[in-house]
Amino acid sequence: MFLLPYALVLLVYGAAVVIRKKTLVVNHHHSANWIDAAKDVEDIPTIDSSSLAQARSLQPPEVTSTRGGELEHLEFWSTHYRLIQRAWQEWERDSGQKQNEEHRENIIEGHDASFYHLPSLAEEIMMEPLLKESIRQLWKKPSVEAELELQTDFWEEPIRNVFACSSFFSPQSIRNLRQHLSLMGQAGIPTRRPNGMNRNGFVLDDETEGGVSYMSVDDFRGWLVDDYLRPLGRMFFPEYIGSDEDDESSYAFTVHYQHDGGTVTHMNGTVVESTTNSLAGSPNTNATKKRDVKLKEHSDASVVTININLNLPGEDEYDGSQLLFLDDHDDPAAGSQENDQVQRRKLEFQPGMAVIHRGLHRHQALPIEKGQRHQLIIWIFGKDGYVRIAPYEPNEQLSVEKRWSKAKNTGGRDHKDLGGDSHPFEL
């Protein structure tokens, strides 16, 4: 039962952790229960001070841990949760009011980020057009044949049970999202670390203390999960998603890897010291925030993970930082480090590339040797944080029609009824 305001997903067989508004504990029967983690602490408004001004006056605590980081500074984020929420809403309103003023579309270092134009994150702009049209047709008329065509035309399986789409986001969509991330980092509002292992990046979530939540980002996350990622997860892993409760929740965040040496080039071409990179988090914490160079072997607290590269072609070249996957034998025990026979296989990202895999498929990020790597990651998991481990029998799996449908109680977007089929696109 959803009762309390703070949450985090704890380790699932050594999984990476996600900071959520509820606390998840996995029991020995591979299910999960939410437990009391913290009390809801309301902020007391200061007279004659906006929420944005109050939030900017806060001094966020230092981010240091690479394990168990979801437990860092809980009191600070719980205490200021609602203040930070109001500050992001105020910041977006200010951005909209000022976006037509002179020079507002330029990112000028040292200026108030609320002055800048927030580019569109609408589906029509963000998604690769041919992929979008193919998925649109599946929502309109789902069939196994159409799913196979989608997989053949757009997806590869470079590693067993790891699926990759070479062009999921267009370069323009990456620029738009990267500009949002850059402005978030310059807004002066405290932002929380993305998960318990990564220190650099943003939580994009309206139910997480310290998460970034304003209308443009919330809408973007909503259509991306509801209309693309959830049905794709059901298509690729039907044996682990057999009901609406298995994948009804999600958690979105960005991560930023950077080589130990060198400088950072902002999107306006300004070269600055790496400790002030606005895509890595709030500028008022960057002076003490250490770079993320690699990520240790782990599994995710999700039934399905989607990992999308946000580097720009020809502009953000880097070396190293490949993902390394253990062989997946559809059995958590197969990923045990004690099994010397398990093979590890590399996967290298390309700009705009999306990778989908089971959350429990163990993996790691190798050290980055030059430059920076930017990623958007979304975890899909079940009701109350449940992560399905045991596969469904074939006769228990969702039909293709059900894979491309929505539960009526999930709170998803309203869709027009075309030809008697409920689907998320307007023709």
Side-chain angles (χ1 to χ4, degrees):
M1 182 176 294
F2 289 79
L3 298 175
L4 298 165
Y6 182 77
L8 49 96
V9 176
L10 297 178
L11 294 176
V12 182
Y13 290 97
V17 286
V18 55
I19 303 166
R20 296 287 301 168
K21 283 198 66 184
K22 305 284 182 265
T23 297
L24 177 66
V25 173
V26 178
N27 66 27
H28 297 295
H29 300 289
H30 308 309
S31 61
N33 300 297
W34 293 106
I35 64 172
D36 188 351
K39 293 185 180 296
D40 191 2
V41 182
E42 289 283 355
D43 300 292
I44 301 176
T46 302
I47 297 176
D48 296 329
S49 177
S50 71
S51 295
L52 183 57
Q54 292 179 65
R56 285 173 169 167
S57 71
L58 298 174
Q59 182 59 45
E62 183 177 358
V63 176
T64 57
S65 300
T66 57
R67 285 285 190 182
E70 75 285 353
L71 301 176
E72 267 192 333
H73 314 300
L74 299 185
E75 184 177 359
F76 175 88
W77 298 111
S78 297
T79 300
H80 302 296
Y81 168 48
R82 299 196 185 282
L83 171 64
I84 290 173
Q85 273 197 326
R86 294 194 298 268
W88 281 115
Q89 294 163 7
E90 182 180 339
W91 177 81
E92 184 182 37
R93 287 196 300 270
D94 286 355
S95 299
Q97 293 169 0
K98 298 173 181 178
Q99 67 182 1
N100 292 322
E101 297 180 20
E102 186 177 5
H103 303 308
R104 297 318 187 207
E105 293 191 4
N106 294 321
I107 300 176
I108 307 173
E109 186 182 8
H111 285 231
D112 184 344
S114 66
F115 279 39
Y116 307 135
H117 170 60
L118 293 174
S120 174
L121 299 178
E123 177 186 341
E124 291 73 18
I125 295 174
M126 298 297 292
M127 295 304 301
E128 197 280 334
L130 294 178
L131 175 64
K132 179 181 69 176
E133 181 60 28
S134 183
I135 290 179
R136 174 177 300 196
Q137 294 305 317
L138 260 168
W139 276 104
K140 184 178 181 181
K141 191 174 181 180
S143 69
V144 173
E145 293 76 16
E147 285 187 333
L148 291 174
E149 184 176 353
L150 173 68
Q151 295 180 46
T152 301
D153 291 346
F154 297 99
W155 297 88
E156 298 177 325
E157 190 177 7
I159 299 170
R160 186 173 186 270
N161 288 334
V162 177
F163 301 92
C165 175
S166 61
S167 182
F168 192 83
F169 282 164
S170 68
Q172 183 58 53
S173 68
I174 294 173
R175 289 187 181 90
N176 286 11
L177 182 54
R178 286 275 297 272
Q179 185 163 339
H180 274 264
L181 298 176
S182 182
L183 297 181
M184 289 175 196
Q186 298 176 60
I189 303 172
T191 57
R192 195 171 183 176
R193 62 183 301 157
N195 57 55
M197 296 178 71
N198 292 93
R199 295 168 294 193
N200 296 276
F202 299 96
V203 177
L204 307 180
D205 190 85
D206 60 346
E207 295 184 340
T208 300
E209 292 88 340
V212 178
S213 172
Y214 54 87
M215 185 177 297
S216 298
V217 166
D218 293 346
D219 288 348
F220 163 71
R221 189 185 69 247
W223 65 253
L224 183 61
V225 171
D226 289 346
D227 303 342
Y228 291 84
L229 305 185
R230 186 175 289 115
L232 287 172
R234 293 179 174 191
M235 179 182 74
F236 285 119
F237 302 104
E239 63 271 38
Y240 295 101
I241 304 174
S243 76
D244 293 328
E245 294 185 351
D246 290 334
D247 63 353
E248 69 174 49
S249 301
S250 65
Y251 178 77
F253 57 96
T254 67
V255 296
H256 173 257
Y257 295 97
Q258 184 177 338
H259 181 53
D260 276 332
T263 57
V264 171
T265 302
H266 276 307
M267 293 182 65
N268 67 340
T270 304
V271 179
V272 297
E273 293 299 322
S274 56
T275 52
T276 62
N277 182 1
S278 59
L279 275 73
S282 299
N284 47 354
T285 63
N286 281 344
T288 56
K289 185 182 294 186
K290 296 181 180 180
R291 302 183 183 102
D292 289 323
V293 177
K294 62 181 180 179
L295 198 63
K296 295 179 180 179
E297 185 180 300
H298 64 282
S299 56
D300 302 332
S302 65
V303 64
V304 173
T305 292
I306 296 92
N307 195 332
I308 306 171
N309 181 262
L310 299 180
N311 282 58
L312 288 164
E315 298 180 30
D316 293 311
E317 295 183 0
Y318 65 91
D319 291 334
S321 200
Q322 301 94 340
L323 290 188
L324 194 65
F325 285 90
L326 276 69
D327 278 346
D328 182 25
H329 301 293
D330 299 323
D331 181 354
S336 172
Q337 293 179 333
E338 300 175 358
N339 186 352
D340 294 334
Q341 304 303 314
V342 173
Q343 298 293 316
R344 290 167 171 80
R345 305 181 189 278
K346 289 184 182 181
L347 179 69
E348 189 158 356
F349 278 104
Q350 302 297 326
M353 177 177 172
V355 172
I356 296 181
H357 60 87
R358 288 184 63 215
L360 293 180
H361 192 157
R362 294 187 68 81
H363 57 284
Q364 67 185 87
L366 296 177
I368 189 166
E369 299 170 358
K370 183 185 77 173
Q372 304 170 69
R373 178 163 69 87
H374 308 278
Q375 301 291 138
L376 169 65
I377 300 172
I378 300 181
W379 290 1
I380 307 292
F381 48 92
K383 183 179 181 180
D384 297 342
Y386 173 77
V387 175
R388 179 79 183 189
I389 294 177
Y392 286 96
E393 296 295 331
N395 64 333
E396 298 175 318
Q397 296 175 14
L398 295 176
S399 66
V400 65
E401 291 80 12
K402 188 64 175 177
R403 289 197 288 269
W404 296 90
S405 67
K406 283 190 175 184
K408 294 181 179 179
N409 60 349
T410 59
R413 299 188 298 165
D414 292 331
H415 305 311
K416 285 190 175 181
D417 185 5
L418 298 181
D421 296 324
S422 177
H423 63 90
F425 298 100
E426 296 178 16
L427 299 180

